[in-house]
Amino acid sequence: MQPYNSELFLTTSEVADLFDVHPSTVKRWSDTEGLEVDKTEGGHRRIYLRNALTFAEERGIETFLAPFAPFESHVWLAVRDAKDHHDFKRARSLAMGWLLRGYPRRVTALFHQLVIRPELPLELVCDRAIQPFMAEIGTAWREGRLRIGEEHMASQAVLEALIRLSPRQALEDPDEERGGSTRPPVAVVGAAEGDQHQIGSMCIRVLLEREGWQVLYPGANTPAEEFAALQRTRRADLICVSVSPPATEAHIRRAFDVLREFYRAGTPYHLVFGGSEIGEIPELAGPSPFQSVEVFRSAVAFIDWVRNHGQEMESEAWAETA
Ligand code: B12
């Protein structure tokens, strides 16, 4: 095994995952069909990634790595680190390299690979891959290592990876309009007025959709009055307002005041503010008409709260239409 990168020797089950077949099929292929294997000292099979990919190519077996040629091994290691150790450093530096060389589609495809994997919680990918990657982009731009066009391409690449996740069942439920008895919980998600940053709220949108929510998504720069109007139209159970710098706590206070003014007890909802830089805002903890007011600095903390309270909101949604 000496002349090879030892990190690129795959176990039978890793190859099975890559080929989307049962491990026993991989064993059979290595015994009788010419899939080249090495053996460890303990007698376990190890398959060099390049040999596995050549075998796949010859047999017409599709793998998620093929479109990344000639960077299959880089992508394999990045995805393996993410899956096995929740370590996204390799993925982020690969994405940055591609962006700087003018390959934004690869960036989208890589992030897409991270966000679709069932073994990788999406909220973790948002907090540990997307958020830090975009922060690195921001720093590189500020230091003049990245042009503004490249920063925009990075934003677009990440947004595209996320939007591809939006599930088909997220189409509005016709049963709801007919007054049917099944109504999924509904949320309005966007960024505060004056805030042009869209990726944080897009993370929240796709996370909620994955949890079975219907999401109204006005996106960036949404006035608080609009959040209120959208909430009322669909009797939404939740409003999520994303706030990034240079928007400040003053923006949150203003949105809070406007939403409080527009609040109607007949269409109750929970109010959530989110963003990694939001500080303490004591006023939000005081008495208010909302079912609750929460502030989250991460997607992980938010989704934890949704899972703990989601059931409650779902039954409230059902009770309303029953
Ligand atoms: C991309 C970007 C832009 C893009 C946005 C494109 C788009 N379509 O979104 C554009 C070019 C439009 C832009 C504009 C500006 N930007 Co800008 N931008 C960024 C950058 C690089 C990335 C932001 C991002 O997408 N992050 C990725 C997401 C996933 O992270 P996030 O928003 O934090 O979201 C996570 C959590 O916060 C949380 N979360 C977020 N929202 C919510 C909501 C809820 C409900 C919950 C529960 C959780 C939650 O979950 C997410 C997942 O972890 C940041 C750098 C940085 N350090 O963040 C600068 C940055 C935020 N921008 C900055 C600046 C200065 C600006 C401009 C003023 C530049 C200018 N001179 O015009 C304008 C401001 C426009 C405005 N009024 O808003 C500064 C702010 C500095 C400061 N303290 O004031 C930063 C920090 C860059 C820097 N290093 O200087 N920007």
Side-chain angles (χ1 to χ4, degrees), residues 126-127 130-131 134-135 138 141-142 151-152 155 159 194-201 203-204 240-242 244-246 272-276 296-299 302:
C126 292
D127 284 350
I130 296 177
Q131 205 279 337
M134 289 309 298
W141 169 70
R142 209 183 46 220
E151 191 219 37
H152 285 203
S155 302
L159 281 170
D195 184 353
Q196 300 296 349
H197 300 93
Q198 201 183 344
I199 302 176
S201 59
C203 288
I204 299 307
C240 292
V241 185
S242 174
S244 305
V272 170
F273 292 100
S276 60
F296 296 103
R297 289 163 193 91
S298 74
F302 170 67

Side-chain angles (χ1 to χ4, degrees), residues 132-243:
F133 172 66
M134 289 309 298
E136 282 164 23
I137 294 282
T139 307
W141 169 70
R142 209 183 46 220
E143 292 174 354
R145 286 183 281 122
L146 213 70
R147 296 189 313 274
I148 189 70
E150 289 166 329
E151 191 219 37
H152 285 203
M153 299 250 279
S155 302
Q156 208 50 41
V158 169
L159 281 170
E160 282 174 29
L162 286 168
I163 201 77
R164 277 196 211 167
L165 271 188
S166 197
R168 257 188 267 158
Q169 62 267 33
L171 283 181
E172 286 79 10
D173 184 353
D175 203 36
E176 182 194 335
E177 212 165 357
R178 285 192 229 107
S181 57
T182 58
R183 175 186 179 278
V186 178
V188 184
V189 179
E193 180 161 19
D195 184 353
Q196 300 296 349
H197 300 93
Q198 201 183 344
I199 302 176
S201 59
M202 183 61 83
C203 288
I204 299 307
R205 168 188 164 176
V206 295
L207 275 164
L208 283 171
E209 285 178 344
R210 188 172 269 196
E211 297 287 313
W213 286 64
Q214 294 269 332
V215 179
L216 298 179
Y217 184 69
N221 188 17
T222 301
E225 293 80 352
E226 250 339 281
F227 275 104
L230 290 168
Q231 185 277 331
R232 206 158 327 144
T233 327
R234 289 280 300 282
R235 305 169 74 84
D237 310 276
L238 174 64
I239 288 184
C240 292
V241 185
S242 174
V243 184

Side-chain angles (χ1 to χ4, degrees), residues 2 26 32 36 54 66 88 90 92 102 131 157 160 211 249 284 304:
Q2 272 310 319
V26 176
T32 62
E36 218 175 293
T54 306
F88 299 94
R90 266 188 164 124
R92 296 199 310 254
Q131 205 279 337
E160 282 174 29
E211 297 287 313
E249 275 81 37
L284 302 191
D304 216 43

